[in-house]
Amino acid sequence: MQSTWPTLSLLIWIPIAGGLLAAALGERKASHARLLALAVSLLTFVLSISLLTGFDRSTANMQFLENKAWIEYFRINYFLGVDGFSVPLIFLTTFFGVLVVIAGWEVIRTRVHQYMASFLVMEGLMVGVFSALDGFLFYVFFEAMLIPMFLVIGMWGGPRRVYATVKFFLYTFLGSVFMLVGLIYLYTQSGTWSIPEWQGLPLGITAQTWLFLGFLAAFSVKVPMWPVHTWLPDAHVEAPTGGSVILAAIMLKIGGYGFIRFSLPITPDASNSLDWLIIMLSLIAVVYIGFVALVQQDMKKLIAYSSISHMGFVTLGLFIAFAIFRHGVGSNAAALGVEGAMVQMISHGFVSGALFLCVGVLYDRLHSRMILDYGGVADSMPWFATFAVLFFMANAGLPGTSGFVGEFMVILAAFNANFWYAFLAGLTLILGAAYSLWLVKRVIFGAVKSREVAALKDINRREALILGSVAVAVIMVGLWPQPLVDLMHASVNNLLAHIQQSKIPAATIATAGM
């Protein structure tokens, strides 16, 4: 569908233009910068709702297309479009764009205009990542979004912010260099930068394998997968609340989205032959990192490691499809895994973002993230405790919350491939409950720890609005996930039909995997 109204361009450039205008206001007009950021983020969110409501769920074709020549000499186009994979992620981005602005309304007091500008520009660039259909354009957005996050952590972060920002930048930038090499190779082979055309490019298994490894280097860091995950806890601990929220809720999803948009459709045979590697790394993340989360004393670090563990379900659900096909089970089970991975991405965005917002509420009052400094918070902050318990239960996979749906779908799909895959993945229900309940018991309940905790004030209307909005989303997806699944169903089936057209000899397929 060729769009007559440039909805995607508006979603990208309105927040970027708003960010530049906010930066130009200067420090003396902090209140104007806040109001501008709120107005721009709300407008962008409303536009994303029109994208959601105008999307045709019955087709896997790209919609809201925009295609204009950009750098004609190299055949680079300004090519945008969305399908069932990108639309929910764009909505998630604009949803948290509004909440981050409101969350920093009173907390950020220095360089307010630059803070708001950074998040607005970052929002536009992340929407660009999810809507770019030109490989070079995707890479520009993919790399450019690192800059505002680098500034957010480096300027408003904690005592070790320089270390955290350098580590964050080096990991993410170096990984994407390998992807750039792969993109250039695809251009030389096809004469185009069009991602949809790359997905139909006939490539040998050797070329596919090298491309797959290049994409893996870029997207595994973004997820992040074990063992390239160590930058994430440091970045979360040092980042301000808004930075942690966007990092967990949106940026980690770009890794999963990259596998969907590049690895699976462009290198299906290499993905088939190397699925055992991704499954192994995913299960290590689910189990090992879950144990690591159990021993954390810093609330932000615990949630960060929890994020790594839960994101393991995303990569597991995406690549379990190949093992399912080899067992001859059928496409329904494979679709369950891919759809479960997508639901998990959306759910994790809501839940992890909410958890970091909760930690931010406590930190704003007591200026401590250490679990040992709290206890009995429910006595002085009953409304906050209600929201916090809900979000931690969702993090533990409580039925009726969004945290249960995606993980359960992936576990069910894993049973069709290998019992031990499902068994190891299912351990997250135990580990997630263990570290979530352990934190809730020591922070929210029990005896009041100190006079400072007893004097804590409950959440105000601004904080209640933020946490309440996410709570509604967590419960809605938990109780009624069907609209979200329907949104992506046609795109999932189209992707699975594409990757089933494997050119690997049958004997190779039979012996591939763990």
Side-chain angles (χ1 to χ4, degrees):
M1 182 178 76
Q2 187 79 29
S3 176
T4 57
W5 183 256
T7 306
L8 295 177
S9 287
L10 291 174
L11 285 168
I12 294 170
W13 297 107
I14 285 178
I16 292 177
L20 296 177
L21 182 57
L25 289 175
E27 182 68 26
R28 294 183 179 180
K29 296 184 178 180
S31 59
H32 293 75
R34 292 188 183 97
L35 291 172
L36 174 63
L38 180 60
V40 170
S41 60
L42 282 172
L43 176 59
T44 308
F45 178 63
V46 171
L47 280 172
S48 72
I49 294 176
S50 69
L51 184 74
L52 195 64
T53 56
F55 184 78
D56 184 359
R57 293 164 169 78
S58 64
T59 177
N61 295 332
M62 289 292 174
Q63 302 177 46
F64 297 91
L65 292 172
E66 300 176 39
N67 195 358
K68 303 291 183 181
W70 180 21
I71 306 175
E72 294 188 31
Y73 183 81
F74 293 106
R75 301 181 184 179
I76 298 172
N77 290 343
Y78 179 77
F79 188 17
L80 304 176
V82 292
D83 61 1
F85 294 118
S86 44
V87 168
L89 292 169
I90 290 174
F91 177 81
L92 185 71
T93 303
T94 60
F95 176 80
F96 273 102
V98 177
L99 298 188
V100 165
V101 169
I102 300 174
W105 198 268
E106 298 175 357
V107 177
I108 303 301
R109 301 182 183 277
T110 60
R111 298 187 295 273
V112 175
H113 62 299
Q114 296 174 357
Y115 181 86
M116 296 300 176
S118 296
F119 278 105
L120 288 175
V121 171
M122 196 184 334
E123 179 181 357
L125 294 173
M126 290 188 296
V127 173
V129 169
F130 293 131
S131 56
L133 294 182
D134 181 275
F136 186 83
L137 183 65
F138 174 89
Y139 183 79
V140 169
F141 285 131
F142 189 83
E143 290 297 281
M145 70 179 183
L146 299 179
I147 299 172
M149 180 57 77
F150 181 90
L151 296 175
V152 166
I153 301 175
M155 295 175 66
W156 293 275
R160 300 178 71 243
R161 59 184 179 272
V162 174
Y163 169 78
T165 51
V166 171
K167 190 173 183 179
F168 160 73
F169 188 83
L170 288 178
Y171 267 72
T172 51
F173 176 77
L174 290 177
S176 60
V177 168
F178 295 98
M179 179 182 71
L180 177 60
V181 174
L183 298 181
I184 294 174
Y185 174 80
L186 288 169
Y187 167 68
T188 61
Q189 294 299 304
S190 63
T192 179
W193 290 93
S194 171
I195 297 174
E197 291 189 39
W198 285 350
Q199 293 173 357
L201 188 65
L203 296 169
I205 185 61
T206 301
Q208 285 195 36
T209 300
W210 283 109
L211 284 170
F212 178 86
L213 294 175
F215 293 144
L216 177 63
F219 302 136
S220 62
V221 173
K222 278 287 194 296
V223 170
M225 299 175 67
W226 182 90
V228 290
H229 66 284
T230 57
W231 65 269
L232 184 65
D234 292 317
H236 272 310
V237 167
E238 300 304 322
T241 299
S244 291
V245 170
I246 293 299
L247 190 59
I250 312 299
M251 278 199 170
L252 302 191
K253 312 306 174 291
I254 290 173
Y257 177 78
F259 284 123
I260 293 172
R261 188 63 72 217
F262 289 87
S263 301
L264 297 181
I266 296 176
T267 61
D269 300 332
S271 299
N272 189 7
S273 61
L274 293 173
D275 68 329
W276 62 270
L277 174 63
I278 307 300
I279 292 172
M280 179 185 69
L281 296 178
S282 301
L283 292 173
I284 290 175
V286 170
V287 179
Y288 168 69
I289 302 299
F291 279 109
V292 174
L294 271 172
V295 301
Q296 299 305 312
Q297 300 296 322
D298 185 309
M299 285 187 284
K300 266 195 170 185
K301 271 197 172 182
L302 187 149
I303 299 169
Y305 281 112
S306 169
S307 292
I308 299 168
S309 178
H310 288 297
M311 285 299 291
F313 275 89
V314 174
T315 48
L316 177 63
L318 293 177
F319 285 86
I320 203 72
F322 296 101
I324 291 172
F325 284 141
R326 285 197 295 272
H327 282 73
V329 177
S331 60
N332 287 338
L336 187 66
V338 177
E339 289 171 356
M342 274 298 299
V343 172
Q344 176 68 359
M345 277 202 278
I346 302 302
S347 169
H348 180 265
F350 288 130
V351 175
S352 64
L355 291 177
F356 281 113
L357 286 169
C358 287
V359 175
V361 168
L362 292 177
Y363 185 81
D364 292 341
R365 287 158 170 76
L366 207 59
H367 300 291
S368 174
R369 299 182 306 266
M370 304 307 294
I371 295 173
L372 294 176
D373 291 335
Y374 293 89
V377 170
D379 287 355
S380 52
M381 303 177 68
W383 279 107
F384 168 80
T386 302
F387 285 117
V389 170
L390 169 65
F391 297 135
F392 274 107
M393 292 302 97
N395 195 51
L398 180 71
T401 66
S402 64
F404 172 77
V405 180
E407 293 181 0
F408 187 64
M409 292 171 70
V410 173
I411 291 172
L412 285 180
F415 265 113
N416 291 279
N418 188 299
F419 166 79
W420 292 108
Y421 294 166
F423 174 79
L424 291 173
L427 290 179
T428 193
L429 300 176
I430 300 173
L431 295 172
Y435 55 70
S436 297
L437 292 174
W438 177 77
L439 187 146
V440 167
K441 173 183 177 295
R442 301 183 68 181
V443 173
I444 305 298
F445 298 116
V448 176
K449 186 79 172 184
S450 63
R451 293 180 181 178
E452 289 80 7
V453 173
L456 291 175
K457 293 182 179 180
D458 209 350
I459 53 176
N460 55 36
R461 291 181 181 179
R462 176 182 61 85
E463 294 164 334
L465 173 64
I466 297 170
L467 297 179
S469 300
V470 188
V472 170
V474 168
I475 294 173
M476 282 186 62
V477 175
L479 295 179
W480 193 30
Q482 195 60 46
L484 177 58
V485 174
D486 289 342
L487 187 65
M488 64 187 75
H489 190 68
S491 296
V492 169
N493 286 338
N494 181 65
L495 174 63
L496 293 176
H498 177 76
I499 66 177
Q500 275 188 288
Q501 299 172 1
S502 173
K503 296 178 283 296
I504 299 178
T508 305
I509 296 176
T511 57
M514 292 182 65

